[in-house]
Amino acid sequence: MKTLLTIAAAAAFAAGAAFAQPTELTFVELDVNEDGQLSIEEVQAVAPNVTQEDFDAFDADGDGFLQEPEFDTWLAVYAGSQNDDPDGDDGDDPMEG
């Protein structure tokens, strides 16, 4: 059940977390204190829209931090959601026909 919840939450998290170039970010770059895990503050530094609930959805072991595999899962889900709109356009540009 937790896996199903995590997948559902992952989709919501991916939709709400706006990174400028998420596929170019690395775990090491986000881990500013170099402790081998990401806090919500480290994530929010580059994705301010991420809520605690969003963050917790990817914290598979529930320790309050994202380890690299948990981050990789988020990144894969986020990148996949971006492929749904390959040109990066959300379709609401009034200048497009």
Side-chain angles (χ1 to χ4, degrees):
M1 178 68 178
K2 181 164 173 118
T3 301
L4 183 58
L5 178 60
T6 300
I7 292 169
F13 181 65
F19 279 102
Q21 297 294 326
T23 56
E24 295 177 12
L25 294 173
T26 67
F27 182 86
V28 172
E29 290 172 327
L30 294 180
D31 185 17
V32 295
N33 65 356
E34 299 177 356
D35 65 354
Q37 56 192 7
L38 300 178
S39 66
I40 189 168
E41 293 82 11
E42 288 170 315
V43 172
Q44 287 176 333
V46 296
N49 294 339
V50 174
T51 66
Q52 185 68 52
E53 183 179 38
D54 297 333
F55 185 87
D56 291 346
F58 282 89
D59 181 14
D61 62 6
D63 68 352
F65 297 93
L66 297 184
Q67 280 68 41
E68 194 162 1
E70 294 165 330
F71 170 77
D72 291 343
T73 299
W74 173 81
L75 194 59
V77 169
Y78 184 81
S81 73
Q82 295 303 298
N83 290 336
D84 294 340
D85 186 16
D87 65 357
D89 179 293
D90 63 2
D92 66 355
D93 186 347
M95 301 303 287
E96 291 186 355

Coordinates of all heavy atoms in Angstrom, one line a residue:
M1 N 0.8 -1.2 0.0 CA 0.0 0.0 0.0 C 0.9 1.3 0.0 O 0.6 2.2 -0.7 CB -0.9 0.0 1.2 CG -1.8 1.2 1.3 SD -3.0 1.2 0.0 CE -3.9 2.6 0.4
K2 N 2.0 1.2 0.8 CA 2.9 2.4 0.8 C 3.4 2.7 -0.6 O 3.6 3.8 -1.0 CB 4.0 2.2 1.8 CG 4.9 3.4 1.9 CD 5.7 3.4 3.1 CE 6.7 4.6 3.0 NZ 6.6 5.6 4.0
T3 N 3.7 1.6 -1.3 CA 4.3 1.8 -2.7 C 3.3 2.5 -3.6 O 3.6 3.4 -4.3 CB 4.7 0.5 -3.3 OG1 5.6 -0.2 -2.4 CG2 5.2 0.6 -4.7
L4 N 2.0 2.1 -3.5 CA 1.0 2.7 -4.3 C 0.8 4.2 -3.9 O 0.7 5.1 -4.7 CB -0.4 2.0 -4.1 CG -1.5 2.5 -4.9 CD1 -1.2 2.5 -6.4 CD2 -2.7 1.6 -4.7
L5 N 0.8 4.4 -2.6 CA 0.7 5.8 -2.1 C 1.9 6.6 -2.5 O 1.7 7.8 -3.0 CB 0.6 5.8 -0.6 CG 0.5 7.2 0.1 CD1 -0.7 7.9 -0.4 CD2 0.4 7.0 1.6
T6 N 3.1 6.0 -2.5 CA 4.3 6.7 -2.9 C 4.2 7.1 -4.4 O 4.5 8.2 -4.8 CB 5.5 5.9 -2.6 OG1 5.6 5.7 -1.2 CG2 6.8 6.6 -3.1
I7 N 3.7 6.2 -5.2 CA 3.6 6.4 -6.6 C 2.6 7.6 -6.9 O 2.9 8.5 -7.7 CB 3.2 5.2 -7.4 CG1 4.4 4.2 -7.4 CG2 2.8 5.5 -8.8 CD1 4.1 2.8 -7.8
A8 N 1.5 7.5 -6.2 CA 0.5 8.6 -6.4 C 1.0 9.9 -5.9 O 0.8 10.9 -6.6 CB -0.8 8.2 -5.7
A9 N 1.6 9.9 -4.8 CA 2.2 11.1 -4.3 C 3.3 11.6 -5.2 O 3.5 12.8 -5.3 CB 2.7 10.9 -2.9
A10 N 4.1 10.7 -5.7 CA 5.2 11.1 -6.6 C 4.6 11.9 -7.8 O 5.2 12.9 -8.2 CB 5.9 9.9 -7.1
A11 N 3.5 11.5 -8.4 CA 3.0 12.2 -9.5 C 2.6 13.6 -9.1 O 2.8 14.5 -9.8 CB 1.8 11.4 -10.0
A12 N 2.0 13.7 -7.9 CA 1.5 15.0 -7.4 C 2.8 15.9 -7.2 O 2.8 17.1 -7.5 CB 0.7 14.9 -6.2
F13 N 3.8 15.3 -6.6 CA 5.0 16.0 -6.3 C 5.7 16.5 -7.5 O 6.1 17.6 -7.7 CB 5.9 15.1 -5.5 CG 7.3 15.7 -5.1 CD1 7.3 16.7 -4.2 CD2 8.4 15.1 -5.6 CE1 8.5 17.2 -3.8 CE2 9.7 15.6 -5.1 CZ 9.7 16.7 -4.3
A14 N 5.7 15.6 -8.5 CA 6.4 16.0 -9.8 C 5.7 17.1 -10.5 O 6.3 18.0 -11.0 CB 6.4 14.8 -10.7
A15 N 4.4 17.1 -10.4 CA 3.6 18.2 -11.0 C 3.8 19.5 -10.3 O 3.8 20.6 -10.9 CB 2.1 17.8 -11.0
G16 N 4.0 19.5 -9.0 CA 4.1 20.7 -8.2 C 5.5 21.3 -8.0 O 5.7 22.4 -7.7
A17 N 6.5 20.5 -8.2 CA 7.8 20.9 -7.9 C 8.5 21.4 -9.2 O 8.8 20.7 -10.1 CB 8.7 19.7 -7.3
A18 N 8.7 22.7 -9.2 CA 9.2 23.3 -10.4 C 10.7 23.6 -10.3 O 11.2 24.5 -9.7 CB 8.5 24.6 -10.7
F19 N 11.5 22.7 -10.9 CA 13.0 23.0 -11.0 C 13.2 23.6 -12.4 O 12.5 23.3 -13.4 CB 13.7 21.6 -11.0 CG 13.9 21.0 -9.7 CD1 13.2 20.0 -9.3 CD2 15.0 21.5 -8.9 CE1 13.4 19.4 -8.0 CE2 15.2 20.9 -7.7 CZ 14.4 19.9 -7.2
A20 N 14.2 24.5 -12.5 CA 14.5 25.1 -13.8 C 14.9 24.0 -14.8 O 14.3 23.9 -15.9 CB 15.5 26.2 -13.6
Q21 N 15.9 23.3 -14.5 CA 16.4 22.2 -15.3 C 16.6 21.0 -14.5 O 17.8 20.6 -14.1 CB 17.7 22.6 -16.0 CG 17.6 23.8 -16.9 CD 16.7 23.5 -18.1 OE1 16.7 22.4 -18.7 NE2 16.0 24.5 -18.6
P22 N 15.6 20.3 -14.1 CA 15.7 19.2 -13.1 C 16.6 18.0 -13.6 O 17.3 17.5 -12.7 CB 14.3 18.7 -12.9 CG 13.6 19.1 -14.2 CD 14.2 20.4 -14.6
T23 N 16.6 17.7 -14.8 CA 17.5 16.6 -15.3 C 18.9 17.0 -15.2 O 19.8 16.1 -15.3 CB 17.1 16.1 -16.7 OG1 17.2 17.2 -17.6 CG2 15.7 15.6 -16.7
E24 N 19.3 18.2 -15.0 CA 20.7 18.6 -15.0 C 21.1 18.7 -13.5 O 22.3 18.9 -13.3 CB 20.9 20.0 -15.7 CG 20.6 19.8 -17.2 CD 20.8 21.2 -17.9 OE1 21.3 22.1 -17.3 OE2 20.4 21.2 -19.0
L25 N 20.2 18.7 -12.6 CA 20.6 18.7 -11.2 C 21.1 17.4 -10.7 O 20.7 16.3 -11.2 CB 19.4 19.1 -10.3 CG 18.8 20.5 -10.5 CD1 17.5 20.6 -9.7 CD2 19.8 21.5 -10.1
T26 N 22.1 17.4 -9.8 CA 22.6 16.2 -9.3 C 22.4 16.2 -7.8 O 22.3 17.2 -7.1 CB 24.1 16.0 -9.6 OG1 24.8 17.0 -8.9 CG2 24.3 16.0 -11.1
F27 N 22.3 15.0 -7.2 CA 22.2 14.8 -5.8 C 23.3 15.6 -5.0 O 23.1 16.3 -4.1 CB 22.2 13.4 -5.4 CG 22.1 13.1 -4.0 CD1 20.8 13.0 -3.4 CD2 23.2 12.9 -3.1 CE1 20.6 12.7 -2.1 CE2 23.0 12.6 -1.8 CZ 21.7 12.5 -1.3
V28 N 24.5 15.5 -5.5 CA 25.7 16.1 -4.9 C 25.6 17.6 -4.9 O 25.9 18.3 -3.9 CB 27.0 15.7 -5.6 CG1 28.2 16.4 -5.1 CG2 27.2 14.2 -5.4
E29 N 25.0 18.2 -6.0 CA 24.9 19.6 -6.0 C 23.8 20.1 -5.0 O 24.0 21.2 -4.4 CB 24.4 20.1 -7.4 CG 25.5 19.9 -8.5 CD 25.0 20.2 -9.9 OE1 23.8 19.9 -10.2 OE2 25.8 20.7 -10.7
L30 N 22.8 19.3 -4.8 CA 21.8 19.7 -3.8 C 22.2 19.5 -2.4 O 21.7 20.2 -1.5 CB 20.5 19.0 -4.1 CG 19.8 19.3 -5.4 CD1 18.5 18.4 -5.6 CD2 19.5 20.7 -5.6
D31 N 23.1 18.6 -2.1 CA 23.5 18.2 -0.8 C 24.6 19.2 -0.3 O 25.8 18.9 -0.2 CB 24.0 16.8 -0.8 CG 24.4 16.3 0.6 OD1 24.0 16.9 1.6 OD2 25.1 15.3 0.7
V32 N 24.1 20.4 0.0 CA 25.1 21.5 0.2 C 25.9 21.3 1.5 O 27.0 21.7 1.6 CB 24.4 22.9 0.3 CG1 23.9 23.2 -1.1 CG2 23.3 22.9 1.3
N33 N 25.4 20.6 2.5 CA 26.1 20.3 3.7 C 26.9 19.0 3.6 O 27.6 18.6 4.6 CB 25.3 20.4 5.0 CG 24.2 19.3 5.0 OD1 24.1 18.5 4.1 ND2 23.5 19.2 6.1
E34 N 26.8 18.3 2.5 CA 27.6 17.1 2.2 C 27.5 16.0 3.3 O 28.4 15.3 3.6 CB 29.1 17.5 2.0 CG 29.3 18.4 0.9 CD 30.7 18.9 0.7 OE1 31.6 18.5 1.5 OE2 31.0 19.6 -0.3
D35 N 26.2 15.8 3.7 CA 26.0 14.8 4.7 C 25.4 13.5 4.1 O 25.1 12.6 4.8 CB 25.1 15.3 5.8 CG 23.7 15.6 5.4 OD1 23.4 15.6 4.1 OD2 22.8 16.0 6.2
G36 N 25.3 13.5 2.8 CA 24.9 12.3 2.1 C 23.3 12.1 2.1 O 22.9 11.0 1.7
Q37 N 22.6 13.1 2.4 CA 21.2 13.1 2.4 C 20.6 14.5 2.1 O 21.3 15.5 2.4 CB 20.6 12.5 3.7 CG 21.1 13.2 4.9 CD 20.7 12.5 6.2 OE1 20.3 11.3 6.1 NE2 21.0 13.1 7.3
L38 N 19.4 14.6 1.6 CA 18.8 15.9 1.4 C 17.7 16.2 2.4 O 16.8 15.4 2.6 CB 18.2 15.9 -0.1 CG 19.2 15.7 -1.2 CD1 18.4 15.7 -2.5 CD2 20.3 16.7 -1.2
S39 N 17.8 17.4 3.0 CA 16.8 17.8 3.8 C 15.7 18.6 3.0 O 16.0 18.9 1.8 CB 17.3 18.8 4.9 OG 17.8 20.0 4.2
I40 N 14.6 18.8 3.6 CA 13.6 19.5 2.8 C 14.1 20.9 2.5 O 13.8 21.5 1.4 CB 12.2 19.6 3.5 CG1 11.1 20.2 2.6 CG2 12.3 20.3 4.9 CD1 9.7 20.0 3.1
E41 N 14.9 21.5 3.3 CA 15.4 22.9 3.1 C 16.3 22.8 1.9 O 16.3 23.8 1.1 CB 16.1 23.4 4.3 CG 15.2 23.7 5.5 CD 14.9 22.4 6.3 OE1 15.5 21.4 6.2 OE2 14.0 22.6 7.2
E42 N 17.1 21.8 1.7 CA 18.0 21.7 0.6 C 17.2 21.6 -0.7 O 17.6 22.2 -1.7 CB 19.0 20.5 0.7 CG 20.1 20.8 1.8 CD 20.9 19.6 2.1 OE1 20.3 18.5 2.3 OE2 22.1 19.7 2.2
V43 N 16.2 20.8 -0.7 CA 15.3 20.6 -1.8 C 14.6 21.9 -2.1 O 14.5 22.4 -3.3 CB 14.3 19.5 -1.6 CG1 13.3 19.4 -2.8 CG2 15.1 18.1 -1.5
Q44 N 14.0 22.6 -1.1 CA 13.3 23.8 -1.3 C 14.1 24.9 -1.8 O 13.6 25.9 -2.4 CB 12.5 24.2 -0.1 CG 11.3 23.3 0.2 CD 10.6 23.6 1.5 OE1 11.3 24.1 2.5 NE2 9.4 23.3 1.6
A45 N 15.4 24.9 -1.6 CA 16.3 25.9 -2.1 C 16.3 26.0 -3.6 O 16.5 27.1 -4.2 CB 17.8 25.6 -1.6
V46 N 16.0 24.9 -4.3 CA 15.9 24.9 -5.8 C 14.5 24.6 -6.2 O 14.2 24.8 -7.4 CB 16.9 23.8 -6.4 CG1 18.3 24.2 -6.1 CG2 16.6 22.4 -5.9
A47 N 13.6 24.1 -5.3 CA 12.2 23.8 -5.7 C 11.3 24.3 -4.6 O 10.8 23.6 -3.7 CB 12.0 22.3 -5.9
P48 N 11.1 25.7 -4.5 CA 10.4 26.2 -3.4 C 8.9 25.8 -3.3 O 8.3 25.9 -2.2 CB 10.5 27.7 -3.6 CG 11.0 27.9 -5.0 CD 11.6 26.7 -5.4
N49 N 8.4 25.2 -4.3 CA 7.0 24.8 -4.3 C 6.8 23.4 -3.6 O 5.7 23.0 -3.4 CB 6.4 24.7 -5.7 CG 6.3 26.0 -6.4 OD1 6.3 27.0 -5.7 ND2 6.3 26.0 -7.7
V50 N 7.9 22.8 -3.2 CA 7.8 21.4 -2.6 C 7.3 21.6 -1.2 O 7.9 22.3 -0.4 CB 9.2 20.7 -2.6 CG1 9.1 19.4 -1.8 CG2 9.6 20.5 -4.1
T51 N 6.2 20.9 -0.9 CA 5.7 20.9 0.5 C 6.3 19.8 1.3 O 6.9 18.9 0.7 CB 4.2 20.8 0.5 OG1 3.8 19.5 0.0 CG2 3.5 21.9 -0.4
Q52 N 6.0 19.8 2.6 CA 6.5 18.7 3.5 C 5.8 17.4 3.0 O 6.4 16.4 3.0 CB 6.2 19.0 4.9 CG 6.7 17.9 5.9 CD 8.2 17.9 5.9 OE1 8.8 19.0 6.2 NE2 8.8 16.8 5.7
E53 N 4.5 17.5 2.7 CA 3.8 16.3 2.2 C 4.4 15.7 0.9 O 4.6 14.5 0.8 CB 2.3 16.7 2.0 CG 1.5 15.5 1.6 CD 0.0 15.9 1.4 OE1 -0.3 17.0 0.9 OE2 -0.8 15.0 1.8
D54 N 4.8 16.6 0.0 CA 5.4 16.2 -1.3 C 6.7 15.5 -0.9 O 7.0 14.4 -1.5 CB 5.7 17.4 -2.2 CG 4.5 18.2 -2.6 OD1 3.4 17.5 -2.7 OD2 4.6 19.4 -2.9
F55 N 7.5 16.1 -0.1 CA 8.8 15.6 0.3 C 8.7 14.2 0.9 O 9.4 13.3 0.5 CB 9.5 16.6 1.2 CG 10.9 16.2 1.6 CD1 12.0 16.6 0.8 CD2 11.2 15.5 2.8 CE1 13.3 16.3 1.2 CE2 12.5 15.2 3.2 CZ 13.5 15.6 2.4
D56 N 7.8 14.1 1.8 CA 7.5 12.9 2.6 C 7.1 11.7 1.6 O 7.4 10.6 1.9 CB 6.5 13.0 3.6 CG 7.0 13.9 4.8 OD1 8.2 14.2 4.9 OD2 6.1 14.3 5.6
A57 N 6.5 12.1 0.5 CA 6.1 11.0 -0.4 C 7.2 10.3 -1.0 O 7.1 9.1 -1.4 CB 5.2 11.7 -1.6
F58 N 8.4 10.9 -1.1 CA 9.6 10.3 -1.7 C 10.5 9.8 -0.6 O 11.5 9.1 -0.9 CB 10.3 11.3 -2.6 CG 9.6 11.4 -3.9 CD1 8.6 12.3 -4.1 CD2 9.9 10.5 -5.0 CE1 7.9 12.3 -5.3 CE2 9.2 10.5 -6.2 CZ 8.2 11.5 -6.4
D59 N 10.3 10.1 0.6 CA 11.1 9.6 1.7 C 10.6 8.2 2.1 O 9.9 8.0 3.1 CB 10.9 10.6 2.9 CG 11.8 10.2 4.1 OD1 12.7 9.4 3.9 OD2 11.5 10.7 5.2
A60 N 11.1 7.3 1.3 CA 10.6 5.9 1.4 C 10.9 5.3 2.8 O 10.0 4.5 3.3 CB 11.2 5.0 0.3
D61 N 12.0 5.6 3.4 CA 12.3 5.0 4.7 C 11.8 5.8 5.9 O 11.9 5.4 7.0 CB 13.8 4.7 4.8 CG 14.7 5.9 4.7 OD1 14.1 7.1 4.7 OD2 15.9 5.8 4.7
G62 N 11.2 7.0 5.6 CA 10.6 7.8 6.6 C 11.5 8.4 7.6 O 11.1 8.8 8.7
D63 N 12.8 8.6 7.2 CA 13.7 9.2 8.1 C 13.8 10.7 8.1 O 14.6 11.3 8.8 CB 15.1 8.6 7.9 CG 15.8 9.0 6.6 OD1 15.1 9.6 5.7 OD2 16.9 8.7 6.3
G64 N 13.0 11.3 7.3 CA 13.0 12.8 7.2 C 14.0 13.4 6.2 O 14.1 14.6 6.1
F65 N 14.7 12.5 5.5 CA 15.7 13.0 4.5 C 15.5 12.1 3.2 O 15.0 11.0 3.3 CB 17.1 12.8 5.0 CG 17.4 13.6 6.2 CD1 17.2 13.1 7.5 CD2 17.8 14.9 6.1 CE1 17.5 13.8 8.6 CE2 18.1 15.7 7.2 CZ 17.9 15.1 8.5
L66 N 16.0 12.7 2.1 CA 16.1 11.9 0.9 C 17.5 11.4 0.7 O 18.4 12.3 0.6 CB 15.6 12.7 -0.3 CG 14.2 13.2 -0.4 CD1 13.9 13.9 -1.7 CD2 13.2 12.1 -0.2
Q67 N 17.7 10.1 0.6 CA 19.0 9.6 0.2 C 19.0 9.6 -1.3 O 18.0 9.8 -2.0 CB 19.2 8.2 0.8 CG 19.6 8.2 2.2 CD 18.5 8.6 3.2 OE1 17.3 8.3 3.0 NE2 18.9 9.4 4.2
E68 N 20.1 9.3 -1.9 CA 20.3 9.4 -3.3 C 19.3 8.5 -4.1 O 18.7 9.0 -5.1 CB 21.7 9.1 -3.8 CG 22.0 9.5 -5.2 CD 23.5 9.6 -5.5 OE1 24.3 9.4 -4.6 OE2 23.8 10.0 -6.6
P69 N 19.0 7.3 -3.7 CA 18.0 6.5 -4.5 C 16.6 7.1 -4.4 O 15.9 7.1 -5.4 CB 18.1 5.1 -3.8 CG 19.4 5.1 -3.1 CD 19.7 6.5 -2.7
E70 N 16.3 7.7 -3.3 CA 15.0 8.4 -3.2 C 14.9 9.6 -4.1 O 13.9 9.9 -4.8 CB 14.7 8.8 -1.7 CG 14.5 7.6 -0.8 CD 14.6 7.9 0.6 OE1 15.3 8.9 1.0 OE2 14.0 7.2 1.4
F71 N 16.0 10.4 -4.1 CA 16.1 11.5 -5.0 C 16.0 11.1 -6.5 O 15.4 11.7 -7.3 CB 17.4 12.3 -4.8 CG 17.7 13.3 -5.8 CD1 17.0 14.5 -5.8 CD2 18.6 13.1 -6.8 CE1 17.3 15.5 -6.8 CE2 18.9 14.1 -7.8 CZ 18.2 15.3 -7.7
D72 N 16.8 10.0 -6.8 CA 16.7 9.5 -8.2 C 15.3 9.1 -8.6 O 14.9 9.3 -9.8 CB 17.7 8.3 -8.3 CG 19.1 8.6 -8.2 OD1 19.5 9.8 -8.4 OD2 20.0 7.7 -8.0
T73 N 14.5 8.5 -7.7 CA 13.1 8.2 -8.0 C 12.4 9.4 -8.3 O 11.6 9.5 -9.2 CB 12.5 7.4 -6.8 OG1 13.2 6.2 -6.5 CG2 11.0 7.1 -7.0
W74 N 12.5 10.4 -7.5 CA 11.8 11.7 -7.7 C 12.2 12.3 -9.1 O 11.4 12.7 -9.9 CB 12.1 12.8 -6.6 CG 11.5 14.1 -7.1 CD1 10.3 14.5 -6.9 CD2 12.2 15.1 -7.8 NE1 10.1 15.7 -7.5 CE2 11.3 16.1 -8.1 CE3 13.5 15.2 -8.2 CZ2 11.6 17.2 -8.7 CZ3 13.8 16.4 -8.9 CH2 12.9 17.4 -9.2
L75 N 13.5 12.3 -9.3 CA 14.0 12.8 -10.6 C 13.4 12.1 -11.8 O 13.0 12.7 -12.8 CB 15.5 12.8 -10.6 CG 16.2 13.6 -11.7 CD1 15.8 15.1 -11.6 CD2 17.7 13.5 -11.6
A76 N 13.4 10.8 -11.7 CA 12.8 9.9 -12.8 C 11.3 10.3 -13.0 O 10.9 10.4 -14.1 CB 13.0 8.5 -12.5
V77 N 10.6 10.4 -11.9 CA 9.2 10.7 -12.0 C 9.0 12.1 -12.6 O 8.2 12.4 -13.5 CB 8.5 10.6 -10.7 CG1 7.1 11.2 -10.7 CG2 8.4 9.2 -10.2
Y78 N 9.8 13.1 -12.1 CA 9.7 14.5 -12.6 C 10.0 14.6 -14.1 O 9.3 15.2 -14.8 CB 10.6 15.4 -11.8 CG 10.4 16.8 -12.2 CD1 9.3 17.6 -11.7 CD2 11.3 17.4 -13.1 CE1 9.1 18.9 -12.2 CE2 11.1 18.7 -13.5 CZ 10.0 19.4 -13.1 OH 9.8 20.7 -13.5
A79 N 11.1 13.9 -14.5 CA 11.5 13.9 -15.9 C 10.5 13.3 -16.7 O 10.2 13.8 -17.8 CB 12.9 13.2 -16.0
G80 N 9.9 12.2 -16.3 CA 8.8 11.6 -17.0 C 7.6 12.5 -17.2 O 7.0 12.5 -18.2
S81 N 7.3 13.3 -16.2 CA 6.2 14.2 -16.3 C 6.5 15.3 -17.3 O 5.6 15.9 -17.9 CB 5.8 14.8 -14.9 OG 6.7 15.7 -14.5
Q82 N 7.7 15.7 -17.4 CA 8.1 16.7 -18.4 C 8.0 16.2 -19.8 O 7.8 16.9 -20.8 CB 9.5 17.2 -18.1 CG 9.7 17.9 -16.8 CD 8.7 19.1 -16.7 OE1 8.8 20.0 -17.4 NE2 7.8 19.0 -15.7
N83 N 8.2 14.9 -20.0 CA 8.1 14.3 -21.3 C 6.6 14.3 -21.8 O 6.4 14.1 -23.0 CB 8.6 12.8 -21.3 CG 10.1 12.8 -21.2 OD1 10.8 13.8 -21.5 ND2 10.6 11.7 -20.7
D84 N 5.7 14.5 -20.9 CA 4.3 14.6 -21.4 C 4.1 15.8 -22.2 O 3.1 16.0 -22.9 CB 3.3 14.6 -20.1 CG 3.3 13.3 -19.4 OD1 3.7 12.3 -20.0 OD2 2.9 13.3 -18.2
D85 N 4.9 16.8 -22.0 CA 4.9 18.1 -22.8 C 6.3 18.3 -23.3 O 7.0 19.2 -22.8 CB 4.4 19.2 -21.8 CG 4.2 20.5 -22.5 OD1 4.1 20.5 -23.7 OD2 4.2 21.5 -21.8
P86 N 6.6 17.7 -24.4 CA 8.0 17.7 -24.9 C 8.6 19.0 -25.2 O 9.8 19.2 -25.1 CB 8.0 16.8 -26.1 CG 6.6 16.5 -26.5 CD 5.8 16.9 -25.2
D87 N 7.7 20.0 -25.6 CA 8.3 21.3 -26.0 C 8.3 22.2 -24.8 O 8.7 23.4 -24.9 CB 7.6 21.9 -27.1 CG 6.1 22.3 -26.8 OD1 5.6 22.0 -25.7 OD2 5.4 22.8 -27.7
G88 N 7.9 21.7 -23.6 CA 8.0 22.5 -22.4 C 6.9 23.5 -22.3 O 6.9 24.4 -21.5
D89 N 5.9 23.5 -23.2 CA 4.8 24.4 -23.3 C 3.6 23.8 -22.6 O 3.3 22.6 -22.9 CB 4.6 24.7 -24.7 CG 3.4 25.7 -24.9 OD1 2.3 25.3 -24.6 OD2 3.7 26.8 -25.4
D90 N 2.9 24.5 -21.8 CA 1.8 23.9 -21.1 C 0.5 24.1 -22.0 O -0.6 23.8 -21.5 CB 1.6 24.5 -19.7 CG 1.4 26.0 -19.7 OD1 1.3 26.6 -20.8 OD2 1.2 26.6 -18.6
G91 N 0.7 24.6 -23.2 CA -0.5 24.8 -24.1 C -1.3 26.0 -23.9 O -2.3 26.2 -24.6
D92 N -0.9 26.9 -23.0 CA -1.7 28.0 -22.7 C -1.2 29.3 -23.3 O -1.6 30.4 -23.0 CB -2.0 28.2 -21.2 CG -0.7 28.6 -20.5 OD1 0.3 28.6 -21.1 OD2 -0.9 28.9 -19.3
D93 N -0.2 29.2 -24.2 CA 0.4 30.4 -24.8 C -0.6 31.0 -25.9 O -0.9 30.3 -26.9 CB 1.7 30.0 -25.5 CG 2.5 31.2 -26.1 OD1 1.9 32.3 -26.2 OD2 3.7 31.1 -26.4
P94 N -1.1 32.2 -25.7 CA -2.0 32.8 -26.6 C -1.4 33.1 -28.0 O -2.2 33.3 -28.9 CB -2.5 34.0 -25.9 CG -1.4 34.4 -25.0 CD -0.8 33.1 -24.6
M95 N -0.1 33.1 -28.1 CA 0.5 33.3 -29.4 C 0.6 32.1 -30.2 O 1.0 32.2 -31.4 CB 1.9 34.0 -29.1 CG 1.9 35.3 -28.4 SD 0.8 36.5 -29.1 CE 1.8 37.0 -30.5
E96 N 0.4 30.9 -29.7 CA 0.4 29.7 -30.5 C -0.9 29.4 -31.0 O -1.9 29.5 -30.3 CB 1.0 28.6 -29.6 CG 2.4 28.8 -29.3 CD 3.0 27.5 -28.6 OE1 2.3 26.6 -28.3 OE2 4.2 27.6 -28.3
G97 N -0.9 28.9 -32.2 CA -2.2 28.6 -32.9 C -2.6 27.2 -32.6 O -3.6 26.7 -32.7

